[in-house]
Amino acid sequence: MEFTAKQIADFIGGRVEGDEQAKVNTFAKIEEGKEGAITFLSNPKYTHFIYETKASVVLINDDVVLEHPVTATLIRVPNAYECVAKLMQMYAASLPKKKGVDPLAFISKTAEIGEDVYIGPFTYVGDGVKIGKGSMIYPHVTIYDGCQIGQNVTIHAGAVIGADGFGFAPSQEGYDKIPQMGIVVIEDNVEIGANTCVDRSTMGQTVIHKGVKLDNLIQVAHNCEIGENTVMSAQVGMAGSTKVGAWCMVGGQAGFSGHITIADKTFIGAQSGVISNTKGNGEQLIGAPAIDPKVFFKAQAVMKKLPDMYRELGALRKEIEELKKNK
Amino acid sequence: MEFTAKQIADFIGGRVEGDEQAKVNTFAKIEEGKEGAITFLSNPKYTHFIYETKASVVLINDDVVLEHPVTATLIRVPNAYECVAKLMQMYAASLPKKKGVDPLAFISKTAEIGEDVYIGPFTYVGDGVKIGKGSMIYPHVTIYDGCQIGQNVTIHAGAVIGADGFGFAPSQEGYDKIPQMGIVVIEDNVEIGANTCVDRSTMGQTVIHKGVKLDNLIQVAHNCEIGENTVMSAQVGMAGSTKVGAWCMVGGQAGFSGHITIADKTFIGAQSGVISNTKGNGEQLIGAPAIDPKVFFKAQAVMKKLPDMYRELGALRKEIEELKKNK
Amino acid sequence: MEFTAKQIADFIGGRVEGDEQAKVNTFAKIEEGKEGAITFLSNPKYTHFIYETKASVVLINDDVVLEHPVTATLIRVPNAYECVAKLMQMYAASLPKKKGVDPLAFISKTAEIGEDVYIGPFTYVGDGVKIGKGSMIYPHVTIYDGCQIGQNVTIHAGAVIGADGFGFAPSQEGYDKIPQMGIVVIEDNVEIGANTCVDRSTMGQTVIHKGVKLDNLIQVAHNCEIGENTVMSAQVGMAGSTKVGAWCMVGGQAGFSGHITIADKTFIGAQSGVISNTKGNGEQLIGAPAIDPKVFFKAQAVMKKLPDMYRELGALRKEIEELKKNK
């Protein structure tokens, strides 16, 4: 498939600066552009690459003023990043999609698999599992008995859905297992990253609501609930029974204590430790325990001066004692 | 299976308040109770749910005083949480248990598998591995050559037992691999969570002692040792050769430096970083580096005021200079 | 295979103290030494074990002065740890190596597998994947379409190479997936730990350069690049488009923000959070946000005194007001 700069500009409503007949047949990062590639400039940090890129066409925001001439043909658009995403989506949609249940998958006889589902080799689908239409389950996924997967869900390799929640009752001799009799429910349009774990609930359901996106290596404990369209970066951990609201964003390696509730549209910084309920929509939190980012970063800046402050405190104390004596 | 409130009360030694003939056939969380379900009230935060639950029967502590009438039948017991756990264990024990080696598992000819073991599809059991009787190895587990698994061990999907420890010797050109020639020994009654990794030792054994419970996505490095009945939450990481004592509890995402020893009954908070030996039984630690929780939380509370403190220090300095001048 | 102390000493250029004919046929840690084992003393913390070890032969540094007689035969060498590593490498090289593609692996017809490659059961090798000669791919690895693996690469069980990067564009109704059309390139002599994830790039390549060693449960996001011979401990997380230089060492559970660049030979402590570019070769960083370790540890030491400092500040304020009044 090959397109000219003009064809692309017409399709996305952009304006060509340079050779309208410049041809492209692939995508590239601006620093790796080569002949025949279309690329984009969105992050101002990368502006210098536009003068040296070998890409044939560059999508660029209307308002970027270039200081030197460029050899690439430009397509001016209001939002270059959005446009390249749109082009990639269009291109990806034109590619053949993986489909069907691979003969090397294990599918329980009592599982129900929807239409147009892809299930990769070595994926395990337990008893009573339901998978909605259009979902893509990559190789090596494990879906324990009874879990329910919605439509257009994507689950990447190695993810484990529905393993036992971590529940034990202490006894004299050790710990007795508390049976984990609930399930996991994953609603429509969810994406779950590689090697991420979502545990079944003790009773009832662990629920991942529609549109949620979970990155790799995340832990969602038993009885948790994640609201619609919430996004979590890699290695986040949620302890048991915690509920995160809708449209939240959670940075990588952040952790949540158990039995807490996070309001909608909460933004939680990477590596934070959230240990209590949050209230406000739109709240931002960072640190462990997590606090207002402005307070956090100011305090962190002063942290480095702590030893000096400690010494200064001692000096002031001495001087005051001196002053008091000489009064 | 259906039971009356009276039958259950007799079985667990409780006292019925309400309809002795109320029938239940399933478990539910109190906030999701429905007709025919038995639930429990243990966490005082959830007390308000008892007035609106649709569950038929609620297990409740003897000492809880209710302020309004409830429609559910109550069973009064000394410890509702323990009782529901016991009922669930009894119920789970009555269900058919997965058993046998799935034909889609890979079992080395030199592996020894005990009686009544379950091994799921796509699980890999290497040369010379031993698995004790009654153990349940879920799908997609990898057990490398020579590792030894005790009796009644549960290993969840995707766990990796016995991969090479992370040992390399620097050279001029890069790093040379140090062969990892030891094994992993997992004793009886251990539970290992999904996608957790326990590395084989360089020489000798990495040992998980009996009754240990490891949650998901945990890293146990080569030559580590975890004492009896210690419990670790998800995403904990142990660096090489570290020994954690018996009956410890470790919160999620905590980390341990290598070559340190943690005393029995140590309680380590989530996200802590433990970098040195600990002494006392019953010690509590939190933070990174980990310290006494009382000190930690007090310091964290003051943290937010650090910028103010810094300004105040400067102000005091000026005022003292002024006082000294005017003396 | 059995060797005498003299044979070993001759081979590694050491000097025997004790019985030159002492025979060994296995390796052991010094605290677990038994008859017929060779062990080593390298960490001074373990010196006391040499007086009680039952090992037949102990490799020990030339400069260690022993205070009591020992029963084991000693081999004196300049660096005991290096020598034992060398012996283990020699021994490991003499053992039969796993080789060949297991019939239970899934290999796409369009994949290219080099000579002397081992691919374990249940490993998935997608379309267009290339694996260089001598590489060892353990069971349960997933290599997505198009990814390229160099020569003598080791990938441990459960690792996922080339899952989609975490890229979504917000819309009114939720998030639209940004297709991840790039690949992962893993160069020669890389080792990748169990359940580690390396995501494919949005366009272009996520690159792990030659000689890199990644421990278990690490997350490498899309478009990242890791320089030659860099070593990362378990559970490290890298956000998208971050570049880590060559010969860096990264402690366990550390995290990197996206779109930053880390200089060569940077040493990053465990659990650090690196949020901006670093400059200097040989720089050391720890903490979150990561700072100079000297500053960090001094500040942490003072941290505990923060509540006292806060009280003292208030006291000083009062005394100064008093002094000002009485002036």
Side-chain angles (χ1 to χ4, degrees):
Chain A
M1 290 211 313
E2 195 169 64
F3 297 92
T4 65
K6 177 149 196 337
Q7 285 173 320
I8 292 167
D10 287 350
F11 177 75
I12 59 177
R15 185 167 45 80
V16 177
E17 290 180 9
D19 177 8
E20 292 199 331
Q21 295 311 312
K23 287 184 182 60
V24 296
N25 54 34
T26 188
F27 294 88
K29 291 189 275 188
I30 193 160
E31 66 269 35
E32 295 174 353
K34 53 184 184 193
E35 209 187 304
I38 183 167
T39 185
F40 70 108
L41 175 62
S42 169
N43 187 334
K45 270 170 64 174
Y46 294 155
T47 303
H48 62 282
F49 285 120
I50 202 170
Y51 304 114
E52 54 197 57
T53 187
K54 295 201 174 91
S56 300
V57 175
V58 183
L59 290 160
I60 182 169
N61 288 359
D62 285 327
D63 58 1
V64 177
V65 180
L66 296 181
E67 291 166 357
H68 310 289
V70 298
T71 55
T73 294
L74 306 181
I75 301 181
R76 293 286 189 169
V77 289
N79 187 326
Y81 184 70
E82 264 182 23
C83 283
V84 79
K86 232 179 270 174
L87 286 177
M88 289 173 75
Q89 284 159 1
M90 189 189 66
Y91 179 72
S94 77
L95 299 176
K97 210 185 146 190
K98 284 177 194 284
K99 231 183 255 185
V101 174
D102 193 281
L104 293 178
F106 172 95
I107 313 288
S108 159
K109 279 174 191 157
T110 59
E112 297 174 31
I113 311 296
E115 285 170 34
D116 294 328
V117 162
Y118 165 67
I119 298 183
F122 313 128
T123 275
Y124 172 90
V125 177
D127 295 344
V129 169
K130 286 180 192 163
I131 301 181
K133 72 177 175 187
S135 288
M136 297 197 65
I137 317 294
Y138 281 92
H140 286 133
V141 171
T142 304
I143 306 177
Y144 278 62
D145 295 351
C147 295
Q148 292 171 29
I149 314 293
Q151 300 183 5
N152 300 312
V153 168
T154 300
I155 305 182
H156 281 284
V160 177
I161 309 300
D164 284 351
F166 196 62
F168 300 91
S171 71
Q172 284 299 89
E173 303 80 34
Y175 288 89
D176 295 332
K177 185 174 179 69
I178 297 174
Q180 304 292 307
M181 303 173 62
I183 60 168
V184 174
V185 173
I186 294 178
E187 296 185 353
D188 300 345
N189 302 317
V190 167
E191 181 152 344
I192 294 197
N195 285 343
T196 280
C197 299
V198 183
D199 279 355
R200 69 196 308 108
S201 65
T202 311
M203 44 183 90
Q205 309 172 344
T206 304
V207 186
I208 313 292
H209 285 289
K210 68 181 185 181
V212 165
K213 311 296 178 192
L214 301 183
D215 201 352
N216 302 338
L217 292 164
I218 286 173
Q219 156 72 357
V220 180
H222 51 177
N223 309 312
C224 283
E225 192 173 338
I226 304 180
E228 288 184 17
N229 298 314
T230 278
V231 172
M232 293 189 180
S233 295
Q235 296 175 319
V236 165
M238 290 176 68
S241 301
T242 281
K243 293 185 198 324
V244 170
W247 288 101
C248 294
M249 299 185 79
V250 183
Q253 297 182 332
F256 296 85
S257 295
H259 293 274
I260 61 173
T261 301
I262 309 303
D264 293 350
K265 294 187 185 161
T266 306
F267 297 79
I268 292 162
Q271 295 186 324
S272 295
V274 186
I275 63 172
S276 49
N277 293 346
T278 75
K279 297 149 254 163
N281 271 19
E283 198 178 3
Q284 297 187 26
L285 291 167
I286 199 166
I291 56 175
D292 183 308
K294 273 176 236 148
V295 177
F296 175 81
F297 284 109
K298 270 188 204 161
Q300 287 300 322
V302 179
M303 269 288 287
K304 304 174 198 170
K305 300 170 184 158
L306 255 185
D308 290 340
M309 287 172 68
Y310 186 71
R311 269 189 300 274
E312 173 73 349
L313 252 185
L316 291 183
R317 162 59 62 204
K318 265 189 204 157
E319 293 174 42
I320 286 176
E321 296 305 328
E322 203 63 30
L323 282 167
K324 282 158 80 172
K325 235 187 286 173
N326 301 343
K327 202 172 53 182
Chain B
M1 292 211 312
E2 197 168 62
F3 297 93
T4 66
K6 178 151 196 334
Q7 286 173 319
I8 292 167
D10 287 351
F11 177 75
I12 58 179
R15 184 166 46 80
V16 177
E17 290 181 10
D19 178 8
E20 291 201 330
Q21 295 311 312
K23 286 183 181 62
V24 296
N25 54 36
T26 187
F27 294 89
K29 290 188 277 188
I30 193 161
E31 66 270 36
E32 295 173 352
K34 52 186 184 192
E35 208 187 306
I38 181 166
T39 184
F40 69 107
L41 175 62
S42 170
N43 188 334
K45 269 169 66 174
Y46 294 154
T47 303
H48 62 283
F49 285 120
I50 202 169
Y51 305 114
E52 54 196 58
T53 187
K54 296 200 173 91
S56 300
V57 174
V58 183
L59 291 161
I60 183 170
N61 288 358
D62 285 327
D63 57 1
V64 176
V65 180
L66 296 181
E67 292 167 355
H68 311 288
V70 298
T71 55
T73 294
L74 305 182
I75 301 180
R76 292 287 189 169
V77 288
N79 186 327
Y81 184 70
E82 263 182 24
C83 283
V84 78
K86 233 179 269 175
L87 286 177
M88 290 173 74
Q89 284 159 1
M90 188 189 66
Y91 179 72
S94 76
L95 298 176
K97 208 184 148 190
K98 285 177 193 284
K99 231 183 256 185
V101 175
D102 192 280
L104 293 178
F106 172 96
I107 313 289
S108 159
K109 279 173 192 158
T110 58
E112 296 174 30
I113 312 295
E115 284 170 35
D116 294 329
V117 163
Y118 165 67
I119 298 183
F122 313 127
T123 275
Y124 172 92
V125 177
D127 295 345
V129 168
K130 287 180 192 163
I131 301 181
K133 72 176 174 187
S135 289
M136 299 198 62
I137 317 292
Y138 282 92
H140 286 134
V141 171
T142 305
I143 306 178
Y144 278 62
D145 296 352
C147 295
Q148 293 173 29
I149 315 292
Q151 299 184 6
N152 299 312
V153 169
T154 300
I155 305 183
H156 282 284
V160 178
I161 309 301
D164 284 350
F166 196 63
F168 301 91
S171 71
Q172 284 298 90
E173 303 79 34
Y175 287 88
D176 296 333
K177 185 174 179 69
I178 297 175
Q180 303 293 307
M181 303 174 61
I183 60 167
V184 173
V185 173
I186 295 179
E187 295 185 352
D188 299 346
N189 302 317
V190 167
E191 181 152 345
I192 294 198
N195 285 343
T196 280
C197 300
V198 182
D199 280 354
R200 70 198 306 109
S201 66
T202 311
M203 45 184 88
Q205 308 173 344
T206 303
V207 186
I208 313 292
H209 286 288
K210 68 180 184 181
V212 165
K213 312 296 178 190
L214 301 183
D215 200 352
N216 302 338
L217 292 163
I218 286 174
Q219 157 71 357
V220 180
H222 50 178
N223 309 314
C224 282
E225 192 173 338
I226 304 181
E228 287 184 19
N229 298 314
T230 278
V231 173
M232 293 190 179
S233 295
Q235 296 174 319
V236 165
M238 291 176 68
S241 300
T242 280
K243 294 188 197 321
V244 169
W247 288 101
C248 294
M249 300 186 77
V250 184
Q253 299 182 332
F256 296 85
S257 296
H259 294 274
I260 61 174
T261 301
I262 308 303
D264 293 351
K265 294 189 186 160
T266 306
F267 298 79
I268 292 163
Q271 296 186 324
S272 295
V274 186
I275 62 172
S276 48
N277 293 345
T278 75
K279 295 151 253 161
N281 272 19
E283 198 178 4
Q284 297 188 25
L285 291 167
I286 198 166
I291 56 176
D292 183 310
K294 274 177 236 147
V295 177
F296 175 81
F297 284 109
K298 270 189 203 162
Q300 287 298 324
V302 179
M303 268 289 286
K304 304 174 198 171
K305 300 171 184 158
L306 253 187
D308 290 341
M309 287 172 68
Y310 186 70
R311 269 190 300 275
E312 174 73 348
L313 253 186
L316 291 183
R317 161 59 61 202
K318 265 189 204 156
E319 292 173 43
I320 286 175
E321 296 306 327
E322 203 62 31
L323 281 167
K324 282 159 79 175
K325 236 187 287 174
N326 300 343
K327 204 171 54 184
Chain C
M1 293 213 310
E2 196 168 63
F3 298 92
T4 65
K6 177 149 196 338
Q7 285 172 319
I8 292 168
D10 288 350
F11 176 75
I12 58 177
R15 185 167 45 82
V16 177
E17 290 180 8
D19 178 8
E20 292 200 332
Q21 295 312 312
K23 285 184 183 61
V24 295
N25 54 35
T26 187
F27 294 89
K29 291 189 277 188
I30 192 160
E31 66 271 35
E32 294 173 354
K34 51 186 184 191
E35 207 186 307
I38 180 166
T39 185
F40 69 108
L41 174 62
S42 168
N43 188 334
K45 270 170 63 175
Y46 294 154
T47 303
H48 61 283
F49 285 120
I50 202 169
Y51 305 114
E52 54 197 57
T53 187
K54 296 202 173 92
S56 300
V57 174
V58 183
L59 290 161
I60 182 169
N61 288 358
D62 284 327
D63 58 1
V64 176
V65 180
L66 296 181
E67 291 166 357
H68 310 288
V70 298
T71 56
T73 294
L74 306 182
I75 302 181
R76 292 286 189 170
V77 288
N79 187 326
Y81 184 69
E82 263 181 25
C83 283
V84 79
K86 233 179 269 176
L87 287 177
M88 289 172 75
Q89 284 159 1
M90 189 189 65
Y91 179 71
S94 76
L95 298 176
K97 209 185 148 189
K98 285 180 194 281
K99 232 183 256 185
V101 174
D102 193 280
L104 292 178
F106 172 96
I107 313 289
S108 160
K109 280 173 191 156
T110 59
E112 297 173 30
I113 311 295
E115 285 170 34
D116 293 329
V117 162
Y118 166 66
I119 298 184
F122 313 128
T123 275
Y124 172 91
V125 177
D127 296 344
V129 169
K130 287 179 192 165
I131 301 181
K133 70 178 177 187
S135 288
M136 299 199 64
I137 318 293
Y138 281 92
H140 285 132
V141 171
T142 305
I143 306 177
Y144 278 62
D145 296 351
C147 295
Q148 293 171 30
I149 314 293
Q151 300 183 5
N152 300 312
V153 168
T154 300
I155 305 183
H156 281 284
V160 178
I161 309 301
D164 284 350
F166 196 62
F168 300 91
S171 71
Q172 285 298 90
E173 303 79 35
Y175 287 88
D176 295 333
K177 185 175 178 69
I178 297 175
Q180 303 292 307
M181 303 173 60
I183 60 168
V184 173
V185 173
I186 294 178
E187 296 185 352
D188 299 346
N189 301 318
V190 166
E191 181 151 345
I192 294 197
N195 285 343
T196 280
C197 300
V198 183
D199 279 354
R200 68 198 308 110
S201 65
T202 312
M203 46 183 89
Q205 309 172 345
T206 304
V207 186
I208 313 293
H209 285 289
K210 66 181 187 182
V212 165
K213 312 296 179 192
L214 301 183
D215 200 350
N216 301 339
L217 292 164
I218 287 174
Q219 157 70 359
V220 180
H222 51 177
N223 310 312
C224 282
E225 192 173 337
I226 304 180
E228 288 183 18
N229 298 315
T230 278
V231 172
M232 292 189 180
S233 294
Q235 296 174 320
V236 165
M238 291 176 68
S241 301
T242 280
K243 292 185 197 325
V244 169
W247 287 100
C248 294
M249 300 187 78
V250 183
Q253 297 183 334
F256 295 86
S257 296
H259 295 273
I260 61 173
T261 301
I262 309 304
D264 293 349
K265 294 187 185 162
T266 306
F267 297 79
I268 292 163
Q271 295 187 326
S272 295
V274 186
I275 63 172
S276 49
N277 294 345
T278 75
K279 294 153 256 162
N281 273 18
E283 198 178 3
Q284 297 188 26
L285 291 167
I286 198 167
I291 56 175
D292 182 309
K294 272 177 237 147
V295 177
F296 175 81
F297 283 109
K298 270 187 203 163
Q300 288 299 324
V302 178
M303 268 290 286
K304 304 175 198 170
K305 300 171 184 158
L306 255 185
D308 290 341
M309 286 172 69
Y310 186 71
R311 268 190 299 275
E312 173 73 348
L313 253 185
L316 291 184
R317 161 59 62 201
K318 265 189 205 156
E319 292 174 43
I320 285 176
E321 295 306 327
E322 204 62 33
L323 283 167
K324 281 158 79 174
K325 235 187 285 173
N326 300 344
K327 200 173 57 185

